[in-house]
Amino acid sequence: MARVVVDVVLKPEILDPQGQAIVGALGRLGVEGVTSVRQGKHFELEVDDNVQDDAVAKIADTLLSNPVIENYTISRK
Amino acid sequence: MPRIGVVTFPGSLDDRDAARAVRIAGAEAVPLWHADPWLYEVDAVILPGGFSYGDYLRCGAIARFSPVMESVIGAARDGMPVLGICNGFQVLCESHLLPGALVRNDHRKFICKEQLLRIENAHTPWTSNYRNGQEIVIPLKNGEGGFVADQHTLDELEANGRVVARYLDGNPNGSYRDIAGICNEAGNVVGLMPHPEHAVEALTGSGTDGLGFFLGFPPFSGADGPDSSRSKVESGAQA
């Protein structure tokens, strides 16, 4: 078994209203100096050792992310 | 009588209103179930609004892989008219039947209002009862209704008349180029963020401006499209 982590974030050119809302809340928390937040998704997959990189890429590309609006990174732990 | 399938996913909300609109328009509404791949020989399919599979992961992302969608995707590629409303539009984008994606409203709030639209393409099976440039008012209610696509895709949609409807009187959700609805290259698959099925009776809404979306069958019933009805007229004239 191996752990594979897939992180998905909106592409830089796509507006992230949730990230903006978080920036607004940080101000009310009394923390200053945070100019931008981009919110994403973090997936932890437990996979058998025989699951190849291309299979993980397919999962990330077709289900976990929408390539029209999101980028993803894959790392094996 | 044309048979229009209306899909129910877990979390669909507007399937009953869509079926009702179909019946008011004089067609037969055929309930389709997400887990059943059989389309029951319908002439067209409506993917209704709501929150399919709880909008988990992304709106429409799980619905895309449901058994009924495998059949709908195949039928749509063969020319069957498909209308996706709101969440149905999101499912069509996730299924790659339509380009682009729908993201959270730029102002972060859920909208629910009567929305003025302009019909930009009255040549799809779903908009043939309108005329190009016609202005209509139907309800708009969404949290993630901002239509986005890259510049090239947007230019292509505009150049080929694939913008089906556009928001007027201000952009309600941050959609690029005020786009409220688009169609595929063949024109048989239409996605629309506002809800025509909620504007089919004067008693319960702003008016009946939405009814036209459900009146297109016939002449467009069946996968053959308008050409088949034209040839019938011609053969009748010869006889």
Side-chain angles (χ1 to χ4, degrees), chain B residues 20-51:
Chain B
R20 193 146 181 280
V22 165
R23 286 194 295 271
I24 289 170
E28 180 184 356
V30 179
L32 301 177
W33 182 240
H34 70 106
D36 181 357
W38 179 238
L39 296 183
Y40 297 89
E41 297 174 351
V42 294
D43 299 303
V45 168
I46 296 173
L47 306 178
F51 301 85

Side-chain angles (χ1 to χ4, degrees), chain A residues 13-15 17-18 20-21 41 43 62-66 68-70, chain B residues 57-58 61-62 64-65 94 100-101 103-106 108 148-149 176:
Chain A
E13 65 269 28
I14 302 291
L15 186 71
Q18 293 184 109
Q20 291 179 340
K41 298 187 184 104
F43 301 91
T62 58
L63 183 58
L64 300 184
S65 75
N66 178 349
V68 175
I69 51 171
E70 294 167 325
Chain B
L57 190 59
R58 293 178 306 281
I62 311 281
R64 169 197 172 185
F65 292 100
E94 284 285 344
V103 300
R104 194 169 295 268
N105 298 343
D106 56 355
R108 306 171 210 162
V148 299
Y176 290 178

Side-chain angles (χ1 to χ4, degrees), chain B residues 78-186:
Chain B
D78 290 340
M80 177 184 280
V82 176
L83 173 65
I85 303 167
C86 194
N87 189 228
F89 187 6
Q90 294 162 339
V91 174
L92 291 174
C93 288
E94 284 285 344
S95 303
H96 305 304
L97 286 173
L98 292 175
L102 292 140
V103 300
R104 194 169 295 268
N105 298 343
D106 56 355
H107 48 72
R108 306 171 210 162
K109 298 184 191 77
F110 192 94
I111 330 165
C112 187
K113 61 178 287 210
E114 289 170 5
Q115 176 67 46
L116 182 65
L117 303 176
R118 186 171 58 229
I119 301 294
E120 303 276 37
N121 177 350
H123 300 293
T124 78
W126 301 100
T127 52
S128 62
N129 285 284
Y130 301 98
R131 56 179 193 281
N132 280 350
Q134 186 173 347
E135 295 184 7
I136 63 171
V137 175
I138 60 176
L140 176 72
K141 48 168 191 151
N142 66 73
E144 302 193 30
F147 179 76
V148 299
D150 61 47
Q151 210 66 16
H152 172 75
T153 303
L154 292 167
D155 289 342
E156 197 178 282
L157 289 172
E158 303 263 16
N160 297 313
R162 290 172 57 189
V163 176
V164 172
R166 220 183 286 268
Y167 298 116
L168 295 180
D169 259 0
N171 186 324
N173 50 23
S175 287
Y176 290 178
R177 303 195 192 179
D178 301 334
I179 289 173
I182 59 169
C183 65
N184 66 345
E185 209 173 336

Side-chain angles (χ1 to χ4, degrees), chain A residues 28-49:
Chain A
R28 293 191 289 276
L29 186 67
V31 179
E32 291 181 7
V34 180
T35 54
S36 172
V37 173
R38 304 285 290 172
Q39 179 173 324
K41 298 187 184 104
H42 174 89
F43 301 91
E44 296 178 352
L45 287 68
E46 301 294 333
V47 301
D48 291 340
D49 293 333

Side-chain angles (χ1 to χ4, degrees), chain B residues 196-215:
Chain B
E197 81 282 15
H198 294 330
V200 295
E201 280 182 304
L203 179 66
T204 54
S206 52
T208 58
D209 284 1
L211 190 58
F213 278 86
F214 308 95
L215 287 171

